[in-house]
Amino acid sequence: MKRKLLFFLLIVTCQLSFTQEKRKNIRGIIYNTVSNPVANSHIVNLSTNIGTISDDDGSFTIPVQSGDWIRISNIQYQTKKVRVKKGNINEGKLIIHLIPVTNVLEEAVIKKKLKGDLTSDMLKSQKDTIREKVESMLHIIKSMSHKAIMNMKIGEDERHMKKPRNAQLTTDPVAKAAGLPQATVGIPDGSSIRRKARRERLNFKERFPDKLKEMYGKKFFFNTLKIPKEKYIHFIEYCDPLGIEQLFKDEKHLEVIKILRRESISYLALIKENDK
């Protein structure tokens, strides 16, 4: 009986040693959706229950092998599970992006005209989670290689998360004015509509370069595309004939990014040639 027990323990020990030898230390880095490192995240190899915590620069080291599942958790971000692949083992590197947790508390907006009653002086507004999802999607797209982006199918990869507007409200002037006093109900003439549309186009055109930087981030233009800061406005004007404004309005961000990436190559070559 003792011999059988010793033999069993020997086999278990050998198996554990063999398993441990197969696992190698891999270095990982955790980022958020705007490429900032995430510190104090808990990383656990679910196959071995070995865990660690990310440093101030978002880095960590943990023993893994191909096929292991890694769980990353942080109180400010959504918990994520990542499966280790052979490519990660060969590179010795694992890059992980975390998505911020949506705040379940509602924001309060104070009215301009206060009545003195705290309840009536506050308007509840829901947190804009659509923008966070779009920013997360754009961050992943911008981190991909130029070749991978150019080969992506627009229909399968772009997500339009914005709910469509009620068609009746946009086409029926009576529905638009529902609930308003009769004195305020009226159909504007064609000239006022055209003037308003012209003003909106001009205002959007003036704000468009800032909107691009706000949506895609300064790092995308100045670090990834390597556009000189003083040439940024000129570069946007250079891409304007390709219809990037309308694509941006239609929320076709993948197409916009493709155009910006492609045109940045020819633009940089052009300004280099002019500087000679």
Side-chain angles (χ1 to χ4, degrees):
M1 184 66 182
K2 290 183 178 181
R3 290 182 180 180
K4 289 182 179 180
L5 181 59
L6 290 172
F7 181 71
F8 175 75
L9 292 175
L10 180 61
I11 292 176
V12 172
T13 303
C14 291
Q15 287 179 341
L16 290 174
S17 300
F18 179 72
T19 302
Q20 187 65 28
E21 288 176 1
K22 287 200 300 182
R23 286 188 166 81
K24 296 182 179 179
N25 281 337
I26 189 172
R27 183 175 182 269
I29 304 178
I30 303 174
Y31 295 108
N32 59 17
T33 54
V34 291
S35 298
N36 292 328
V38 180
N40 300 320
S41 296
H42 295 270
I43 304 97
V44 178
N45 186 334
L46 298 179
S47 301
T48 62
N49 287 328
I50 295 176
T52 185
I53 297 176
S54 60
D55 297 332
D56 291 339
D57 58 355
S59 64
F60 65 91
T61 302
I62 193 169
V64 295
Q65 68 179 11
S66 178
D68 283 355
W69 282 94
I70 305 296
R71 184 182 65 204
I72 305 93
S73 58
N74 188 300
I75 192 171
Q76 296 179 338
Y77 297 87
Q78 297 180 17
T79 299
K80 187 172 186 177
K81 292 182 182 179
V82 177
R83 190 170 189 179
V84 180
K85 300 178 181 179
K86 288 184 179 180
N88 303 128
I89 302 296
N90 295 335
E91 294 179 4
K93 185 172 61 176
L94 187 63
I95 304 297
I96 299 166
H97 293 92
L98 297 182
I99 300 175
V101 174
T102 302
N103 191 352
V104 296
L105 296 177
E106 293 183 341
E107 296 175 343
V109 180
I110 305 298
K111 294 180 179 178
K112 291 183 179 179
K113 295 181 179 180
L114 301 179
K115 297 180 179 179
D117 180 12
L118 183 61
T119 303
S120 61
D121 288 341
M122 297 179 68
L123 295 174
K124 294 181 179 179
S125 63
Q126 293 182 349
K127 191 172 178 65
D128 186 5
T129 57
I130 293 177
R131 179 175 177 80
E132 291 182 357
K133 292 179 181 178
V134 171
E135 289 179 351
S136 175
M137 178 190 71
L138 291 174
H139 176 71
I140 295 172
I141 292 173
K142 289 186 288 183
S143 64
M144 297 170 62
S145 67
H146 176 75
K147 182 178 179 182
I149 289 180
M150 300 308 289
N151 290 332
M152 290 174 70
K153 296 180 180 180
I154 300 299
E156 296 179 2
D157 295 284
E158 201 160 29
R159 301 287 183 266
H160 301 292
M161 295 170 287
K162 194 172 183 180
K163 293 183 179 179
R165 294 182 65 188
N166 189 321
Q168 185 182 8
L169 293 178
T170 58
T171 58
D172 185 355
V174 177
K176 275 185 175 181
L180 295 177
Q182 287 186 353
T184 64
V185 177
I187 302 176
D189 58 25
S191 61
S192 63
I193 293 176
R194 287 193 295 273
R195 284 196 301 271
K196 183 179 179 181
R198 240 188 338 263
R199 284 197 301 270
E200 289 178 352
R201 285 197 299 270
L202 289 173
N203 289 337
F204 182 85
K205 196 170 189 68
E206 290 177 358
R207 299 194 305 267
F208 183 56
D210 292 331
K211 285 180 173 291
L212 283 174
K213 273 195 294 189
E214 181 182 353
M215 177 61 74
Y216 304 143
K218 294 180 181 180
K219 289 184 179 180
F220 173 65
F221 289 100
F222 304 140
N223 295 352
T224 304
L225 300 187
K226 302 187 185 305
I227 301 298
K229 292 183 179 181
E230 68 276 9
K231 300 281 187 181
Y232 171 69
I233 301 295
H234 186 254
F235 172 64
I236 301 305
E237 293 174 350
Y238 178 81
C239 299
D240 184 67
L242 299 175
I244 57 174
E245 281 190 26
Q246 189 59 47
L247 290 171
F248 186 88
K249 288 180 180 178
D250 295 339
E251 296 185 1
K252 296 182 178 179
H253 299 294
L254 179 56
E255 292 189 38
V256 175
I257 290 175
K258 279 188 176 184
I259 292 173
L260 294 173
R261 279 183 174 272
R262 184 180 66 238
E263 295 304 312
S264 66
I265 298 173
S266 58
Y267 180 77
L268 291 174
L270 178 65
I271 61 176
K272 185 177 181 181
E273 182 67 24
N274 293 336
D275 290 340
K276 287 183 179 180

